Amino acid sequence: MDRKTRDILEILENDARSSLEDISALVDMTPEEVQKRIHQLEKAKIIRKYKTVIDWELAGEDYVYAIIELKVTLERKQGYQRIAERLYRFPEVRSVRLLSGEHDITLTVRGKSMKQVAFFVAEKIATLEQVHNTATHFVLKTYKEDGLIMEEPEHVKRLPVSP
C-alpha cells in the first residue's frame, strides 16, 4: 500500500465525513483521483463501513454495555471460527474478539438494563455447549470510544484576585 492510500485511510478513519476536496488537498491528489481510490478501497473491502460515534447518554437513551470474557472448548477441526460466528449473530453483541491470555473470546454487549444483559448472558451465551466459563464486566463510564474523547475536559476558571 502506498503512502497516499494510507493517508486517505487515516483521514477517513479519523473523520468519515471529510470531503473529497479536503482529502485531495491533504494528499496532493485531485478529488476525482481520491474518489476513485476510495471506491477501490471499498470494493476491496478495506473500507468496511462508515461509522458515527454517538453519545447515547447525551441523546437521552440509556444503554448498558458489558464486556463478557469467555473460556470456550473448541470443536475438533473447527477452531474459534464456528463459535465466533454463532456469537456475532446475536443482535445484542456489538463486537467479538479472539484474545490471548486467560480467556479465549471477549464480547461487547449492549442492552437496555443490567438485568437484560445479565439474562442475555445467562440464557443465550452461558448455555452454548462450547462456553464453559464467562466473566461479565459492566461498563460504568466510557471516556474514549473509537479514538474520540467522549467528554469535554472541565476548564477551571481562576477567580479574580482582589487587593
Side-chain angles (χ1 to χ4, degrees):
M1 176 179 310
D2 64 53
R3 183 69 198 161
K4 288 185 180 191
T5 301
R6 185 175 293 111
D7 290 344
I8 290 169
L9 290 172
E10 287 178 4
I11 292 164
L12 289 173
E13 185 177 47
N14 287 322
D15 183 4
R17 293 183 69 183
S18 296
S19 70
L20 293 174
E21 291 75 19
D22 289 344
I23 297 170
S24 67
L26 291 168
V27 297
D28 193 31
M29 295 171 71
T30 68
E32 294 76 25
E33 290 170 322
V34 170
Q35 186 172 30
K36 182 179 178 188
R37 189 81 54 105
I38 290 172
H39 178 72
Q40 290 169 341
L41 293 165
E42 291 169 343
K43 191 173 179 182
K45 296 190 177 186
I46 293 169
I47 295 177
R48 302 294 297 240
K49 179 180 178 179
Y50 295 93
K51 182 178 178 182
T52 302
V53 178
I54 298 170
D55 188 329
W56 286 109
E57 186 178 341
L58 240 136
E61 292 290 325
D62 293 325
Y63 286 117
V64 173
Y65 290 86
I67 310 299
I68 319 297
E69 296 173 324
L70 306 177
K71 190 74 178 158
V72 299
T73 303
L74 298 178
E75 295 176 29
R76 187 171 281 179
K77 298 182 182 177
Q78 296 297 320
Y80 292 99
Q81 188 66 31
R82 190 166 180 181
I83 184 71
E85 288 171 356
R86 188 140 186 218
L87 293 166
Y88 65 57
R89 295 194 193 290
F90 290 111
E92 297 88 347
V93 174
R94 310 296 290 174
S95 68
V96 178
R97 292 185 174 93
L98 181 63
L99 301 175
S100 64
E102 205 170 310
H103 291 89
D104 301 311
I105 293 177
T106 184
L107 309 176
T108 302
V109 174
R110 181 174 86 176
K112 280 298 214 174
S113 68
M114 290 176 81
K115 186 176 182 178
Q116 184 186 47
V117 170
F119 276 119
F120 170 72
V121 173
E123 295 174 359
K124 304 286 178 147
I125 302 299
T127 59
L128 295 174
E129 186 178 323
Q130 301 94 329
V131 175
H132 66 84
N133 187 1
T134 67
T136 302
H137 308 277
F138 286 97
V139 176
L140 302 177
K141 183 167 181 68
T142 299
Y143 295 99
K144 189 174 184 177
E145 181 74 30
D146 284 332
L148 178 69
I149 297 170
M150 294 300 287
E151 66 177 29
E152 298 299 320
E154 290 184 32
H155 294 288
V156 179
K157 293 183 179 180
R158 277 187 75 176
L159 296 173
V161 178
S162 57

